[in-house]
Amino acid sequence: MNLVKNPVTGMKDVLPAEAELRNYVMDVIRRTYAAYGFRQIETPAVESLANLNSKQGGENEKLIFKILKRGDKLKLEEARQAADLTEEGLRYDLTVPLVRFFSAHQAQLPSPFKALQMGPVWRADRPQKGRFRQFVQCDIDILGDASNLAEIELILATTKALANLGFSGFEVRIGDRRLLKAMAAFAGFAEENYDEVFIILDKMDKIGRDGVRQELIDAGFDREAADRYLALFAQMEGKKGTEGIRFLKETLGAHLEEQAADNLTQILECVEQTKEADFALVFDPTLVRGMSYYTGTIFEVAMPEFGASAGGGGRYDKMVGKFTGQDVPACGFSIGFERILLLLEERGFRIPTEGKKAAFLVEKGMSASRIGKVMEEAEELRRNGDQVLVVRMNKNKKFQKEQLTAEGYTEIREFFNRED
Amino acid sequence: MNLVKNPVTGMKDVLPAEAELRNYVMDVIRRTYAAYGFRQIETPAVESLANLNSKQGGENEKLIFKILKRGDKLKLEEARQAADLTEEGLRYDLTVPLVRFFSAHQAQLPSPFKALQMGPVWRADRPQKGRFRQFVQCDIDILGDASNLAEIELILATTKALANLGFSGFEVRIGDRRLLKAMAAFAGFAEENYDEVFIILDKMDKIGRDGVRQELIDAGFDREAADRYLALFAQMEGKKGTEGIRFLKETLGAHLEEQAADNLTQILECVEQTKEADFALVFDPTLVRGMSYYTGTIFEVAMPEFGASAGGGGRYDKMVGKFTGQDVPACGFSIGFERILLLLEERGFRIPTEGKKAAFLVEKGMSASRIGKVMEEAEELRRNGDQVLVVRMNKNKKFQKEQLTAEGYTEIREFFNRED
């Protein structure tokens, strides 16, 4: 019987050129964040379903790969539903595992704790072009810092990482859940409807102000509230950065806690003053970010070449408390690793190399002592930092040499059994 | 409800110091193998159970984490056994996925193909000290080279990687399944019993020649065969390296294909002549290696400080054919990544660092412009290759500074709201 050659549905094999690029990108990200004092951690791929299903993961909780119980724990006859057969699953993000990790090891970690995670996550999404069921996420988080030093650092470090990968001219959009809520309150929406309102607001860049207004009305919301809401956004137009925040602070009055506006203003001012990467930090009152766990600042990276977001994050001060019963302020930024990779591939990005690549072709049937000499010669080049491939000479030497040249070997030496 | 703080049974969280060491080790391994022309690939964590259960994995096939089918595919009412509920599982090694990968992408890969894989595998082993249900394997393999150039390269590159991690004075033991079989045939064992004989032979270093003889007899084997077998090993004693191989070649006669002995001799001679790392390549006629898929050369790394093997591998020329119907010669070497890591930790290994580590403590309530100045100062140091942590100043500053010093920060600067 022949076995199954293809990877499982929705997951992919990574060929050498891509694997090398992935490594390179991870390495740049790792070095950049290390320079900012972020420390890498790892958590297992497998997590308790109790945690994965704790309503922190939103829609992702429907996409969990669940692991069948084993041995005595698996009671097939008694099982009435999938939940009876499983108690663990593959993680669908790195945030739930991070918060669990922090809860378990808090006593051994510095405070505040600046964490970097890079690793695969799994979601049983419908397979589609460019989206896979296993993909890498790359998150930095600061736990234990309630001040906006956290946001400032996350933005500076992440934009630096992107700059170190050659990106420039991009935007980081920033907002605050508290501003969002105050705007909705000011318009007259009821608090229990905010999430529904925000889902519609999130379409602003696609359907425009009139579209959002219409959808709100179609969804059964008060026409007056919708008008008052959209009027706010209309008035914000042309008010860039801190100016827009000042307008909201003045307009929203008691609906907005004063500190929220000042906090955001300070982030904008400080990043503007300090940033080294070529990007714009832009206040975006329409920014929503899907996850309901965000409690304050939210942000998103927008690349000019790329419709969707290439990263994002925000503050989630209430999640650690779900594990420990005691809240710890937390703020994170996730780079859209797979999207960044696609962008680099589309640009034909070449990994900067040191040293040359040489290939040594060895004729079949060579004596041990002569092979030894070839190997010594290869070692000598390697000592200079070169990459040296030693391979046997194929029958079709011409094709082999073409293949090697295509792989980037700039020097090809041939070694025969008899010295010429 | 509070959530589950601990990692799932048998898997572990990796804290920063270990995560950084893991990265460092992976990086050294990756760079070393790259210098020898090995190219990294990745395969998904999840594989078809058809492949995982194809008898290539030996005992590991009993330890598979199986993934519950989803949606319409999950027919709970009709399920009679676990197999009805699952069709995919987590990989338990990197060899089966490599061979599947090669079968799927052979046309796009150079021949011979030199592959490097580093990644987690999962085995539902009984949890025990130092053994985890998720652990990293690190394999290099050469596919498409029938000659012993493959073995020579695998040994040279792997020992170089170990040397680059600071290891010296270790042994690589080498043998050949064909020699093993010829010795068993010469002694008079029946071919169908070889595997049982080898399992007993494998205990030689623990129970000695007399112990092996007794166990063979206890297992019901012919006393005469056992004596003849053990006599061979007795005669080999003191015959080091190629001398031992020559003895077997002369003694075993027609039981041994001549090429097998010459092949091994050539590997020993060539590695001896070329090796740069400080290690001994030793012919070991008692070396067995568990996996039944090996067809020729087998090897194992023995560290003086460490009882068990710290790596191993061999030639498996028949596995690709299980996928494609057409055999492709293959040979691989696996570094015991987790064991190497344990050894380095036990030795108190410190990662070589460039640049210094500085911590900037920022007083609470600092203005945006003053924070900006602090950040600029930090950037300046980072440009010199230093790591700079900017954190808010804790109330218990003394404790914070002690913690930072323990983390390796050699310079701690304090920044107050008012300039002094």
Side-chain angles (χ1 to χ4, degrees):
Chain A
M1 191 196 75
N2 288 3
L3 297 172
V4 185
K5 285 190 203 178
N6 288 323
V8 298
T9 310
M11 300 194 192
K12 70 166 182 178
D13 289 329
V14 181
L15 276 90
E18 185 185 335
E20 279 152 18
L21 183 59
R22 295 175 84 83
N23 268 329
Y24 172 80
V25 172
M26 283 195 194
D27 200 44
V28 169
I29 291 173
R30 204 181 281 124
R31 281 169 195 273
T32 308
Y33 285 134
Y36 286 79
F38 286 87
R39 304 202 64 190
Q40 201 166 350
I41 64 159
E42 289 172 32
T43 68
V46 182
E47 281 285 338
S48 304
L49 284 177
N51 294 345
L52 295 177
N53 283 322
S54 65
K55 309 264 173 286
Q56 306 307 308
E59 291 296 298
N60 298 330
E61 297 193 358
K62 297 180 189 155
L63 305 175
I64 300 172
F65 285 102
K66 291 173 185 157
I67 290 170
L68 193 69
K69 286 185 190 174
R70 299 173 48 81
D72 297 342
K73 283 191 170 180
L74 179 63
K75 295 189 170 56
L76 195 51
E77 315 72 40
E78 301 168 19
R80 294 284 160 273
Q81 50 190 356
D84 301 328
L85 297 166
T86 55
E87 54 185 353
E88 298 173 346
L90 297 181
R91 63 185 182 194
Y92 50 72
D93 75 3
L94 300 177
T95 306
V96 171
L98 168 72
V99 174
R100 184 196 54 66
F101 174 99
F102 182 77
S103 310
H105 307 289
Q106 191 169 359
Q108 299 159 66
L109 301 171
S111 171
F113 179 52
K114 299 170 83 173
L116 164 63
Q117 293 178 93
M118 280 193 281
V121 301
W122 293 264
R123 293 180 192 171
D125 245 324
R126 194 186 302 273
Q128 47 184 301
K129 194 175 170 294
R131 283 187 80 161
F132 293 94
R133 289 180 163 188
Q134 172 178 327
F135 59 96
V136 166
Q137 284 197 334
C138 170
D139 287 13
I140 51 167
D141 294 88
I142 300 179
L143 293 119
D145 191 348
S147 81
N148 56 21
L149 201 54
E151 280 88 341
I152 293 167
E153 279 252 286
L154 290 173
I155 294 168
L156 288 176
T158 301
T159 52
K160 186 70 169 290
L162 293 172
N164 286 344
L165 288 167
F167 291 99
S168 63
F170 54 92
E171 266 186 7
V172 176
R173 296 181 185 147
I174 191 166
D176 192 302
R177 294 288 285 193
R178 292 169 296 179
L179 278 168
L180 263 187
K181 284 181 183 177
M183 288 172 81
F186 174 84
F189 295 107
E191 187 160 0
E192 66 269 25
N193 295 328
Y194 286 175
D195 280 341
E196 201 185 339
V197 171
F198 296 158
I199 288 170
I200 296 172
L201 174 65
D202 203 18
K203 304 182 186 170
M204 183 76 94
D205 56 343
K206 293 202 186 71
I207 61 176
R209 279 208 297 274
D210 290 345
V212 169
R213 180 176 172 280
Q214 196 56 50
E215 281 212 20
L216 286 170
I217 291 165
D218 292 349
F221 288 108
D222 189 36
R223 189 176 293 262
E224 205 183 323
D227 285 337
R228 208 169 142 89
Y229 197 43
L230 274 306
L232 267 184
F233 291 102
Q235 286 171 288
M236 296 276 298
E237 200 149 283
K239 297 195 169 63
K240 301 240 181 234
T242 53
E243 203 188 333
I245 301 169
R246 196 177 323 120
F247 165 78
L248 285 180
K249 188 176 166 181
E250 285 159 6
T251 311
L252 301 178
H255 293 291
L256 180 65
E257 33 175 328
E258 192 171 309
Q259 199 265 327
D262 294 344
N263 176 65
L264 200 52
T265 304
Q266 197 176 29
I267 296 171
L268 280 161
E269 284 175 357
C270 183
V271 170
E272 198 52 52
Q273 180 187 338
T274 319
K275 68 177 187 184
E276 299 223 319
D278 169 24
F279 73 99
L281 182 62
V282 179
F283 168 55
D284 180 355
T286 71
L287 186 65
V288 171
R289 298 292 300 164
M291 304 309 290
S292 60
Y293 54 65
Y294 288 124
T295 57
T297 328
I298 44 179
F299 24 74
E300 197 165 279
V301 179
M303 292 278 178
E305 314 96 303
F306 202 75
S309 129
R315 184 168 277 282
Y316 53 102
D317 285 345
K318 300 290 173 191
M319 210 201 285
V320 175
K322 298 252 186 331
F323 283 82
T324 62
Q326 195 172 0
D327 286 337
V328 170
C331 195
F333 206 138
S334 178
I335 290 186
F337 181 83
E338 303 287 349
R339 286 179 178 176
I340 292 298
L341 216 82
L342 274 180
L343 284 176
L344 290 174
E345 280 174 341
E346 278 171 18
R347 291 171 166 201
F349 180 84
R350 312 267 304 178
I351 300 170
T353 48
E354 311 137 26
K356 69 172 177 223
K357 283 175 83 177
F360 286 11
L361 306 189
V362 177
E363 195 180 12
K364 214 181 150 182
M366 189 174 283
S367 72
S369 69
R370 181 122 177 80
I371 290 179
K373 280 192 194 124
V374 175
M375 293 292 187
E376 279 166 13
E377 205 169 319
E379 276 305 327
E380 215 170 289
L381 290 186
R382 286 181 192 127
R383 271 193 290 272
N384 301 334
D386 295 343
Q387 291 188 13
V388 187
L389 176 79
V390 180
V391 278
R392 75 169 155 60
M393 200 177 284
N394 285 347
K395 271 180 202 146
N396 188 343
K397 194 166 67 177
K398 185 161 169 285
F399 177 68
Q400 187 177 23
K401 286 162 85 170
E402 283 167 7
Q403 233 184 358
L404 289 167
T405 306
E407 275 191 75
Y409 287 94
T410 50
E411 185 180 329
I412 300 175
R413 292 192 206 169
E414 300 175 26
F415 295 86
F416 298 96
N417 295 341
R418 218 180 318 186
E419 298 192 49
D420 294 320
Chain B
M1 192 196 74
N2 289 3
L3 297 172
V4 185
K5 285 190 202 179
N6 288 321
V8 298
T9 311
M11 301 195 190
K12 71 165 181 179
D13 288 330
V14 180
L15 275 91
E18 184 185 335
E20 279 152 19
L21 182 59
R22 297 176 82 87
N23 267 330
Y24 172 79
V25 172
M26 284 195 193
D27 201 45
V28 169
I29 291 174
R30 203 180 282 124
R31 281 168 196 275
T32 308
Y33 285 134
Y36 286 79
F38 286 86
R39 305 202 63 191
Q40 200 165 351
I41 64 157
E42 289 171 33
T43 68
V46 181
E47 280 285 340
S48 305
L49 284 176
N51 294 345
L52 294 177
N53 283 321
S54 65
K55 308 264 172 283
Q56 306 307 307
E59 290 296 300
N60 298 330
E61 297 193 357
K62 296 177 189 155
L63 306 174
I64 300 172
F65 284 101
K66 292 172 183 157
I67 290 171
L68 192 70
K69 288 184 188 174
R70 299 173 49 81
D72 297 342
K73 283 191 169 180
L74 180 63
K75 296 189 169 57
L76 195 50
E77 314 70 42
E78 300 167 21
R80 294 282 162 274
Q81 50 189 358
D84 301 328
L85 297 166
T86 55
E87 54 185 355
E88 299 173 347
L90 297 182
R91 62 185 184 195
Y92 50 73
D93 75 3
L94 299 177
T95 306
V96 171
L98 168 72
V99 174
R100 182 196 56 66
F101 174 98
F102 182 78
S103 310
H105 307 289
Q106 192 168 359
Q108 300 160 67
L109 300 171
S111 172
F113 179 52
K114 301 171 81 173
L116 164 62
Q117 292 178 94
M118 281 194 278
V121 302
W122 293 265
R123 292 179 193 171
D125 244 324
R126 195 185 303 271
Q128 48 184 301
K129 195 176 168 292
R131 284 187 78 162
F132 292 94
R133 290 182 161 186
Q134 172 178 326
F135 58 97
V136 165
Q137 283 197 333
C138 169
D139 287 13
I140 50 168
D141 293 87
I142 301 178
L143 293 119
D145 191 348
S147 83
N148 56 20
L149 200 55
E151 279 88 342
I152 293 166
E153 279 252 287
L154 290 173
I155 294 169
L156 289 176
T158 301
T159 52
K160 185 70 168 288
L162 292 172
N164 286 345
L165 289 167
F167 291 99
S168 62
F170 56 92
E171 266 186 6
V172 175
R173 297 183 185 146
I174 191 166
D176 193 302
R177 295 286 288 192
R178 291 168 298 179
L179 279 167
L180 263 187
K181 286 181 184 178
M183 289 171 81
F186 174 83
F189 295 106
E191 185 158 2
E192 65 268 28
N193 297 326
Y194 285 176
D195 279 341
E196 203 185 339
V197 171
F198 296 159
I199 288 170
I200 296 172
L201 174 66
D202 202 17
K203 302 180 186 172
M204 183 75 95
D205 56 343
K206 292 200 185 73
I207 60 176
R209 280 208 296 275
D210 291 345
V212 168
R213 180 178 171 277
Q214 197 54 50
E215 281 211 19
L216 286 170
I217 292 165
D218 292 349
F221 289 109
D222 191 33
R223 190 176 292 263
E224 205 183 322
D227 285 338
R228 208 169 142 86
Y229 196 42
L230 274 307
L232 267 183
F233 291 101
Q235 287 172 285
M236 295 277 297
E237 198 149 286
K239 297 194 169 62
K240 303 242 180 229
T242 53
E243 204 189 329
I245 301 169
R246 197 177 323 117
F247 165 80
L248 285 179
K249 187 175 168 182
E250 285 158 8
T251 310
L252 301 178
H255 292 291
L256 180 65
E257 34 173 329
E258 192 172 310
Q259 199 264 325
D262 294 345
N263 177 64
L264 201 52
T265 304
Q266 197 176 29
I267 295 171
L268 280 161
E269 285 174 357
C270 182
V271 169
E272 199 51 54
Q273 179 188 338
T274 319
K275 68 177 186 185
E276 300 223 320
D278 168 24
F279 73 101
L281 183 61
V282 179
F283 169 54
D284 180 353
T286 72
L287 186 67
V288 171
R289 299 290 300 164
M291 303 309 290
S292 60
Y293 55 65
Y294 289 124
T295 56
T297 327
I298 44 180
F299 24 74
E300 196 164 279
V301 178
M303 293 278 176
E305 314 96 300
F306 202 76
S309 127
R315 184 169 276 284
Y316 53 101
D317 285 345
K318 300 290 172 191
M319 211 201 285
V320 175
K322 298 255 187 331
F323 283 83
T324 61
Q326 193 172 1
D327 286 338
V328 170
C331 196
F333 206 139
S334 179
I335 289 187
F337 181 83
E338 303 287 349
R339 287 179 177 177
I340 292 297
L341 215 80
L342 274 180
L343 285 175
L344 289 174
E345 280 174 344
E346 276 170 19
R347 293 173 165 200
F349 179 85
R350 314 265 304 177
I351 301 170
T353 48
E354 312 138 24
K356 67 172 180 227
K357 281 174 83 176
F360 287 12
L361 307 189
V362 177
E363 195 181 10
K364 214 180 148 184
M366 190 174 279
S367 71
S369 68
R370 181 121 177 79
I371 291 179
K373 279 191 194 124
V374 175
M375 294 293 189
E376 279 167 12
E377 207 170 317
E379 276 305 326
E380 215 172 287
L381 290 186
R382 287 181 192 125
R383 271 192 291 271
N384 301 334
D386 296 341
Q387 290 187 13
V388 187
L389 176 79
V390 180
V391 277
R392 75 170 154 61
M393 199 177 287
N394 285 348
K395 271 180 202 147
N396 189 341
K397 194 167 68 179
K398 188 163 166 283
F399 178 70
Q400 187 177 22
K401 285 162 84 171
E402 283 166 10
Q403 231 183 2
L404 289 167
T405 306
E407 276 190 74
Y409 288 93
T410 52
E411 185 180 328
I412 299 176
R413 291 192 206 171
E414 300 175 28
F415 295 87
F416 299 95
N417 294 342
R418 220 183 313 187
E419 297 192 51
D420 293 319

